[in-house]
Amino acid sequence: MPKFVVLKLYNMPLTANHKPLKSHYDVVLIGGGIMSATLGTLLHELDPTLNIVIFERLGRFARESSAAWNNAGTGHSAFCELNYTPEKEDGTIDISKAEQIAEQFEISKQFWSYLISKNYIDKPTEFINSCPHMSLVFGKDDVEFLRKRHEKMTQSHLFKEMEFTTDHDQLREWIPLIMSKRKETEILAATKMDLGTDVNFGTLTRKMGRFLAEDSNVDVYLYHDVKDIDPNADGTWEVEVKNRLHGHKHHLTADFVFIGAGGYALPLLDSSDIPESEGYGGFPVSGQWLVTHNPDLIAKHQAKVYTLATVDAPPMSVPHLDLRIIDGKKALLFGPFAGFSTKFLKEGSYLDLPESINLKNIRSLFGAWWHNLPLTQYLVRQVAMTKDQRIQHLREFVKDAKEEDWELKIAGQRVQIIKKNEQEGGKLEFGTEVVVNENGTIASLLGASPGASTGAFAMLQVLEKCFPDKVAKDWKDKLQEIIPTYGQSLAENPELTKRIRNYTKEKLNLDY
Ligand SMILES: Cc1cc2nc3c(=O)[nH]c(=O)nc-3n(C[C@H](O)[C@H](O)[C@H](O)COP(=O)(O)OP(=O)(O)OC[C@H]3O[C@@H](n4cnc5c(N)ncnc54)[C@H](O)[C@@H]3O)c2cc1C
């Protein structure tokens, strides 16, 4: 039964939840992005008696990083991202990180398949579609790197279907738009994995949000901004939440708090005063895409094509030309181009960055900045680019790209984590980190990569760290039902990989 007055969470904005807030919840989830929606669904499924509430400061779920156009929609499985397979000093390729990411995405697909089989969410093609993942490199040295990488990766059954070519005819078949007007003498190579996917994380998050708000006993409050989290003497948390429509403030207590607030996770974690949050700082990097809806161009590009990052570029700025499938319509996206804003969320405040600096993290912030001057220079150059210069970049992919076909779209805001580091003062981190206090009563997700694709894995980590006894005993069987491969290694088990990929292919209506 619906639990609040104004519904329509999925398609329309909610105005407000008029149901009075309880004074105590077992679980408070902050933020209506993919992470809180995933954790809320998992917790509700593992223990339906839990008293759970989700607060979202905006009028709808998934309006920040999880929104379709705010991210690239790549179902990151390490099929195409060259930064997951570094070349070691001895010239061999290290694929261990790629194997981890591939396994983590299989966990997400199992979780979504479970939600489909329970009818909690429906119509998988509205949020996930098959889309080949390709890596493309130019020049003799990089072609050699890709050849070696392909040889190494196909020894693992996780990547054994990966194809490699340097042949222009084959490439024209795979990526006609990129190959158009290219000289026969040009040296380039590509790999292709048909198993890749494009994911609309926004629609997926809202589908989970609809389930939680309408078909579960989880309370969902939109336009509710969590302002402060303080520890109580009895081990619970005091949470201050402000209704943004009326300006009323409420105080409630919670046994467990998850901060899934995206860019705002850092200041909220800081407000909790847990020692584990000390020394963290945030560095906001905004992004932009070039997007085209021209059907002639789209017909000639049906893949996600990732290249190598330039020497000074951070890993999240690897250029890629991607097919997107959003609300049933196809489009192409190229980028990202980095931008700079002092906001921690797209709908945040310009004071976010200055207000986040305090005595505990200033050394980390300064250290990270000092040791990353090339990154600063890279960002300055990116920010100063005109549309014409961005189109010039695109022409490295699409030789005859025309400015009038492409529009500039603002992507989501990332807050890269800066972590305390003895040698450098502070170090810029590009991964995702789950921060948990000593007794596992508060957890937060910091960072943005590989992001939404590995959300189910990240939320399982939260459960394992914060509810270890339950995970080991009471919740064990249910977890196994939700994630059939839970606790097993796919990298070591070809039969299991095949079986689970067939299962998720069928449930999610994928081609491969
Ligand atoms: C440019 C870009 C490209 C990306 N590409 C990919 C990709 O291709 N594949 C991939 O898997 N991932 C990608 N990511 C990463 C991915 O988008 C994120 O990891 C993921 O969406 C994060 O989800 P979240 O729930 O943590 O945060 P969000 O989706 O940002 O949600 C946080 C929510 O918390 C709310 N909130 C904040 N503060 C408060 C508060 N105090 N009280 C109440 N609510 C609050 C916000 O309004 C927001 O709705 C990309 C990200 C960016 C920026």
Side-chain angles (χ1 to χ4, degrees):
M1 278 291 285
K3 303 169 307 304
F4 49 67
V5 177
V6 192
L7 297 164
K8 300 281 184 248
L9 177 72
Y10 180 44
N11 289 320
M12 280 184 234
L14 272 183
T15 50
N17 180 349
H18 298 295
K19 196 180 161 193
L21 271 165
K22 294 176 188 142
S23 58
H24 178 83
Y25 284 91
D26 300 322
V27 174
V28 168
L29 304 171
I30 306 170
I34 192 157
M35 299 301 171
S36 292
T38 299
L39 187 60
T41 311
L42 275 169
L43 278 169
H44 172 266
E45 215 39 24
L46 292 168
D47 183 353
T49 65
L50 281 174
N51 225 328
I52 303 175
V53 63
I54 304 185
F55 294 116
E56 165 53 52
R57 66 192 287 273
L58 302 177
R60 211 177 172 205
F61 269 35
R63 282 195 54 189
E64 289 286 347
S65 290
S66 303
W69 283 112
N70 284 350
N71 61 70
T74 304
H76 285 300
S77 333
F79 297 156
C80 56
E81 308 84 348
L82 295 164
N83 53 315
Y84 295 151
T85 49
E87 189 169 4
K88 293 196 277 193
E89 272 180 17
D90 64 4
T92 56
I93 309 289
D94 181 359
I95 65 160
S96 50
K97 178 152 189 199
E99 287 184 318
Q100 281 169 21
I101 307 267
E103 289 217 27
Q104 291 171 13
F105 190 62
E106 296 299 331
I107 289 179
S108 290
K109 284 198 292 179
Q110 291 176 64
F111 174 57
W112 305 335
S113 299
Y114 172 82
L115 301 182
I116 293 276
S117 54
K118 286 281 191 177
N119 281 326
Y120 294 165
I121 63 173
D122 62 358
K123 300 185 188 148
T125 49
E126 287 182 357
F127 68 86
I128 187 165
N129 286 279
S130 288
C131 173
H133 280 193
M134 296 181 58
S135 309
L136 177 69
V137 295
F138 304 90
K140 215 164 136 258
D141 291 349
D142 290 344
V143 167
E144 264 331 289
F145 162 74
L146 196 68
R147 192 194 303 277
K148 262 199 308 195
R149 176 183 181 270
H150 172 254
E151 258 172 40
K152 182 74 193 254
M153 287 189 93
T154 45
Q155 287 167 22
S156 160
H157 62 272
L158 290 171
F159 309 108
K160 78 171 187 318
E161 294 89 354
M162 188 179 280
E163 298 172 72
F164 170 87
T165 194
T166 54
D167 179 64
H168 277 229
D169 286 339
Q170 178 70 81
L171 287 166
R172 269 191 286 274
E173 207 180 285
W174 285 356
I175 38 172
L177 186 63
I178 292 179
M179 292 307 287
S180 166
K181 304 224 158 51
R182 229 165 253 280
K183 292 195 188 110
E184 279 297 333
T185 50
E186 196 167 336
I187 299 174
L188 67 171
T191 54
K192 175 159 145 320
M193 273 292 272
D194 287 330
L195 233 70
T197 50
D198 176 68
V199 186
N200 182 336
F201 294 108
T203 295
L204 171 64
T205 304
R206 280 193 290 275
K207 280 179 186 279
M208 285 193 269
R210 189 217 56 79
F211 162 70
L212 290 169
E214 296 182 11
D215 296 336
S216 81
N217 57 356
V218 173
D219 285 346
V220 176
Y221 287 83
L222 301 181
Y223 294 115
H224 277 65
D225 201 350
V226 174
K227 292 291 189 193
D228 197 12
I229 311 163
D230 287 314
N232 288 323
D234 63 358
T236 62
W237 294 95
E238 179 88 10
V239 179
E240 181 185 305
V241 54
K242 183 174 172 187
N243 179 328
R244 294 182 80 202
L245 295 178
H246 307 124
H248 300 155
K249 279 190 182 166
H250 305 271
H251 288 259
L252 52 99
T253 56
D255 295 332
F256 173 75
V257 176
F258 174 68
I259 311 173
Y264 275 4
L266 202 62
L268 281 170
L269 188 65
D270 193 45
S271 84
S272 73
D273 274 338
I274 59 168
E276 290 78 4
S277 73
E278 270 183 33
Y280 278 103
F283 184 77
V285 180
S286 63
Q288 291 167 346
W289 315 114
L290 284 171
V291 172
T292 183
H293 300 277
N294 181 328
D296 298 335
L297 300 180
I298 297 166
K300 288 190 240 161
H301 191 80
Q302 298 288 305
K304 287 181 180 280
V305 180
Y306 277 59
T307 55
L308 279 166
T310 52
V311 177
D312 52 354
M316 77 278 191
S317 295
V318 172
H320 46 101
L321 180 62
D322 286 11
L323 175 70
R324 298 299 315 270
I325 302 153
I326 297 175
D327 300 332
K329 293 190 198 88
K330 288 185 173 178
L332 299 185
L333 162 162
F334 177 72
F337 297 98
F340 181 72
S341 157
T342 54
K343 290 182 180 183
F344 279 3
L345 287 173
K346 248 177 132 168
E347 309 243 2
S349 148
Y350 289 109
L351 294 177
D352 289 342
L353 178 61
E355 282 182 356
S356 76
I357 301 171
N358 56 45
L359 283 176
K360 287 183 277 179
N361 65 17
I362 193 155
R363 188 167 171 263
S364 321
L365 285 167
F366 184 76
W369 171 76
W370 180 250
H371 290 279
N372 287 282
L373 290 177
L375 172 69
T376 313
Q377 287 156 0
Y378 167 84
L379 287 176
V380 170
R381 280 198 306 277
Q382 288 265 306
V383 173
M385 275 169 103
T386 60
K387 184 173 177 196
D388 189 47
Q389 286 168 320
R390 291 175 214 271
I391 294 285
Q392 288 302 336
H393 255 288
L394 171 63
R395 288 194 183 122
E396 288 162 23
F397 279 68
V398 183
K399 289 277 180 197
D400 54 354
K402 294 185 186 64
E403 198 172 328
E404 62 269 24
D405 283 326
W406 298 82
E407 60 175 296
L408 205 59
K409 246 188 192 314
I410 307 296
Q413 192 76 0
R414 290 182 206 252
V415 177
Q416 300 302 144
I417 326 167
I418 292 170
K419 225 172 144 180
K420 204 153 65 175
N421 169 290
E422 284 312 319
Q423 287 88 42
E424 298 177 12
K427 199 161 186 293
L428 203 54
E429 302 278 337
F430 292 104
T432 308
E433 187 149 328
V434 175
V435 180
V436 173
N437 69 336
E438 201 185 352
N439 48 3
T441 56
I442 188 162
S444 178
L445 190 88
L446 300 180
S449 187
S453 302
T454 54
F457 171 80
M459 294 307 100
L460 286 174
Q461 278 190 307
V462 169
L463 294 180
E464 285 163 6
K465 288 183 179 186
C466 300
F467 305 92
D469 294 341
K470 297 234 178 237
V471 167
K473 291 185 204 123
D474 305 3
W475 294 351
K476 199 169 164 220
D477 292 346
K478 191 72 191 176
L479 274 171
Q480 210 83 53
E481 188 192 333
I482 301 173
I483 317 283
T485 69
Y486 185 67
Q488 299 180 70
S489 158
L490 289 184
E492 287 164 17
N493 200 331
E495 255 319 297
L496 184 63
T497 306
K498 197 170 158 198
R499 210 165 355 110
I500 211 65
R501 280 183 172 168
N502 280 338
Y503 159 75
T504 53
K505 170 187 173 235
E506 191 220 309
K507 291 283 173 213
L508 299 174
N509 214 355
L510 296 170
D511 299 336
Y512 299 96

